[in-house]
Amino acid sequence: MRFARPLALVVAAAALAACASAAPGWTYAPAPSVTPPPSVAPDASGGASAAPSPAASGEAPSAGPSAAPGGTVIDISAQGIAYDKSELSVPAGQPFQIRFANNDAGIPHNVAIHEGSPTGAEVWKGEVFNGVETRTYDVPALAAGTYGFVCTVHANMTGTLTAN
Ligand SMILES: [Cu+2]
């Protein structure tokens, strides 16, 4: 009996403590109003999941084209029946591209590659087209060496192309 009282006090104290600690929790009960947003989140994620797929598909195509050529693209233009460059350098042994801008309205030009010099044997010939237009030629791999490039229409339009 003598020990029962202290025990009861301890139990009572514990009960009070429990009540005290529980009270704060209840006062914050209104917080559940925050739960609605989470339910909205799923909708947002649903929309977000839809957005990523277009973005991903958008990246894939753009990455594809740029990655496919992947190699060398050299630029050259023609204006006033003359090339803007007299020397071109490309990697040997691998296909490359020539982005040719014909800036002469109504005048046909092209770029052709000849063995050794512009008057050497033709190695490759780009399509002739009228300006103003820009076309990108796909050129097959060239063996290392020196070539001449020339406009098939205008023999005076020439330059040197080096593959190495
Ligand atoms: Cu020409």
Side-chain angles (χ1 to χ4, degrees):
M1 288 294 282
R2 293 189 87 179
F3 297 94
R5 276 193 175 182
L7 241 170
L9 285 173
V10 170
V11 171
L16 283 171
C19 284
S21 64
W26 286 104
T27 58
Y28 285 86
S33 65
V34 178
T35 29
S39 68
V40 175
D43 293 332
S45 66
S49 66
S53 55
S57 63
E59 288 180 20
S62 64
S66 60
T72 304
V73 179
I74 56 176
D75 286 283
I76 183 170
S77 66
Q79 186 158 13
I81 311 185
Y83 289 127
D84 69 331
K85 294 175 182 173
S86 59
E87 292 185 7
L88 298 176
S89 181
V90 302
Q94 55 182 281
F96 61 95
Q97 293 182 308
I98 296 176
R99 187 159 48 208
F100 177 47
N102 178 348
N103 295 321
D104 279 334
I107 298 176
H109 292 305
N110 78 333
V111 177
I113 297 173
H114 292 226
E115 193 79 47
S117 76
T119 55
E122 185 179 280
V123 174
W124 171 87
K125 175 185 172 183
E127 186 179 9
V128 176
F129 61 95
N130 288 336
V132 174
E133 188 180 339
T134 297
R135 292 189 187 182
T136 300
Y137 296 129
D138 287 309
V139 187
L142 297 176
T146 299
Y147 302 80
F149 65 89
V150 59
C151 172
T152 304
V153 183
H154 306 99
N156 63 302
M157 293 174 63
T158 63
T160 300
L161 182 150
T162 304
N164 52 26

PDB file of all heavy atoms in Angstrom, residues 81 107-110 151-154 157, ligand 1:
ATOM      1  N   ILE A  81      30.716  34.832-109.387  1.00  0.00           N
ATOM      2  CA  ILE A  81      31.406  33.767-110.129  1.00  0.00           C
ATOM      3  C   ILE A  81      32.803  33.553-109.569  1.00  0.00           C
ATOM      4  O   ILE A  81      33.811  33.520-110.300  1.00  0.00           O
ATOM      5  CB  ILE A  81      31.434  34.080-111.643  1.00  0.00           C
ATOM      6  CG1 ILE A  81      30.012  34.461-112.108  1.00  0.00           C
ATOM      7  CG2 ILE A  81      31.900  32.866-112.449  1.00  0.00           C
ATOM      8  CD1 ILE A  81      29.856  34.681-113.600  1.00  0.00           C
ATOM      9  N   ILE A 107      22.517  31.983-111.385  1.00  0.00           N
ATOM     10  CA  ILE A 107      23.746  31.451-111.999  1.00  0.00           C
ATOM     11  C   ILE A 107      24.072  30.075-111.411  1.00  0.00           C
ATOM     12  O   ILE A 107      24.080  29.897-110.192  1.00  0.00           O
ATOM     13  CB  ILE A 107      24.937  32.406-111.758  1.00  0.00           C
ATOM     14  CG1 ILE A 107      24.653  33.760-112.415  1.00  0.00           C
ATOM     15  CG2 ILE A 107      26.230  31.796-112.296  1.00  0.00           C
ATOM     16  CD1 ILE A 107      25.721  34.807-112.168  1.00  0.00           C
ATOM     17  N   PRO A 108      24.317  29.097-112.278  1.00  0.00           N
ATOM     18  CA  PRO A 108      24.616  27.751-111.805  1.00  0.00           C
ATOM     19  C   PRO A 108      26.067  27.584-111.365  1.00  0.00           C
ATOM     20  O   PRO A 108      26.984  28.083-112.026  1.00  0.00           O
ATOM     21  CB  PRO A 108      24.311  26.887-113.044  1.00  0.00           C
ATOM     22  CG  PRO A 108      24.649  27.783-114.194  1.00  0.00           C
ATOM     23  CD  PRO A 108      24.238  29.170-113.756  1.00  0.00           C
ATOM     24  N   HIS A 109      26.238  26.925-110.232  1.00  0.00           N
ATOM     25  CA  HIS A 109      27.584  26.606-109.737  1.00  0.00           C
ATOM     26  C   HIS A 109      27.523  25.224-109.096  1.00  0.00           C
ATOM     27  O   HIS A 109      26.446  24.695-108.809  1.00  0.00           O
ATOM     28  CB  HIS A 109      28.030  27.577-108.634  1.00  0.00           C
ATOM     29  CG  HIS A 109      28.274  28.992-109.091  1.00  0.00           C
ATOM     30  ND1 HIS A 109      29.129  29.323-110.111  1.00  0.00           N
ATOM     31  CD2 HIS A 109      27.779  30.169-108.615  1.00  0.00           C
ATOM     32  CE1 HIS A 109      29.151  30.647-110.248  1.00  0.00           C
ATOM     33  NE2 HIS A 109      28.328  31.179-109.354  1.00  0.00           N
ATOM     34  N   ASN A 110      28.688  24.697-108.821  1.00  0.00           N
ATOM     35  CA  ASN A 110      28.794  23.469-108.033  1.00  0.00           C
ATOM     36  C   ASN A 110      30.204  23.403-107.477  1.00  0.00           C
ATOM     37  O   ASN A 110      30.992  24.347-107.632  1.00  0.00           O
ATOM     38  CB  ASN A 110      28.486  22.227-108.891  1.00  0.00           C
ATOM     39  CG  ASN A 110      29.654  21.825-109.781  1.00  0.00           C
ATOM     40  OD1 ASN A 110      30.479  22.678-110.159  1.00  0.00           O
ATOM     41  ND2 ASN A 110      29.736  20.564-110.119  1.00  0.00           N
ATOM     42  N   CYS A 151      34.520  24.635-110.121  1.00  0.00           N
ATOM     43  CA  CYS A 151      33.123  24.689-110.515  1.00  0.00           C
ATOM     44  C   CYS A 151      33.072  24.124-111.929  1.00  0.00           C
ATOM     45  O   CYS A 151      33.788  24.590-112.820  1.00  0.00           O
ATOM     46  CB  CYS A 151      32.618  26.136-110.509  1.00  0.00           C
ATOM     47  SG  CYS A 151      30.958  26.300-111.222  1.00  0.00           S
ATOM     48  N   THR A 152      32.258  23.118-112.106  1.00  0.00           N
ATOM     49  CA  THR A 152      32.177  22.460-113.407  1.00  0.00           C
ATOM     50  C   THR A 152      31.706  23.421-114.502  1.00  0.00           C
ATOM     51  O   THR A 152      32.046  23.270-115.668  1.00  0.00           O
ATOM     52  CB  THR A 152      31.198  21.264-113.320  1.00  0.00           C
ATOM     53  OG1 THR A 152      31.631  20.388-112.282  1.00  0.00           O
ATOM     54  CG2 THR A 152      31.158  20.498-114.629  1.00  0.00           C
ATOM     55  N   VAL A 153      30.944  24.438-114.103  1.00  0.00           N
ATOM     56  CA  VAL A 153      30.417  25.402-115.080  1.00  0.00           C
ATOM     57  C   VAL A 153      31.422  26.497-115.404  1.00  0.00           C
ATOM     58  O   VAL A 153      31.502  26.991-116.530  1.00  0.00           O
ATOM     59  CB  VAL A 153      29.106  26.040-114.553  1.00  0.00           C
ATOM     60  CG1 VAL A 153      28.506  26.988-115.580  1.00  0.00           C
ATOM     61  CG2 VAL A 153      28.106  24.954-114.170  1.00  0.00           C
ATOM     62  N   HIS A 154      32.188  26.885-114.400  1.00  0.00           N
ATOM     63  CA  HIS A 154      33.139  27.981-114.578  1.00  0.00           C
ATOM     64  C   HIS A 154      34.555  27.523-114.230  1.00  0.00           C
ATOM     65  O   HIS A 154      34.925  27.434-113.048  1.00  0.00           O
ATOM     66  CB  HIS A 154      32.754  29.173-113.697  1.00  0.00           C
ATOM     67  CG  HIS A 154      31.341  29.634-113.885  1.00  0.00           C
ATOM     68  ND1 HIS A 154      30.316  29.282-113.038  1.00  0.00           N
ATOM     69  CD2 HIS A 154      30.780  30.415-114.850  1.00  0.00           C
ATOM     70  CE1 HIS A 154      29.173  29.828-113.461  1.00  0.00           C
ATOM     71  NE2 HIS A 154      29.430  30.517-114.563  1.00  0.00           N
ATOM     72  N   MET A 157      36.771  29.130-111.561  1.00  0.00           N
ATOM     73  CA  MET A 157      36.489  29.007-110.125  1.00  0.00           C
ATOM     74  C   MET A 157      37.221  27.768-109.619  1.00  0.00           C
ATOM     75  O   MET A 157      36.756  26.640-109.823  1.00  0.00           O
ATOM     76  CB  MET A 157      34.974  28.867-109.877  1.00  0.00           C
ATOM     77  CG  MET A 157      34.167  30.128-110.225  1.00  0.00           C
ATOM     78  SD  MET A 157      32.381  29.882-110.103  1.00  0.00           S
ATOM     79  CE  MET A 157      32.174  29.514-108.361  1.00  0.00           C
TER      80      MET A 157
HETATM   81 CU    CU B   1      30.283  28.287-111.279  1.00  0.00          CU
END
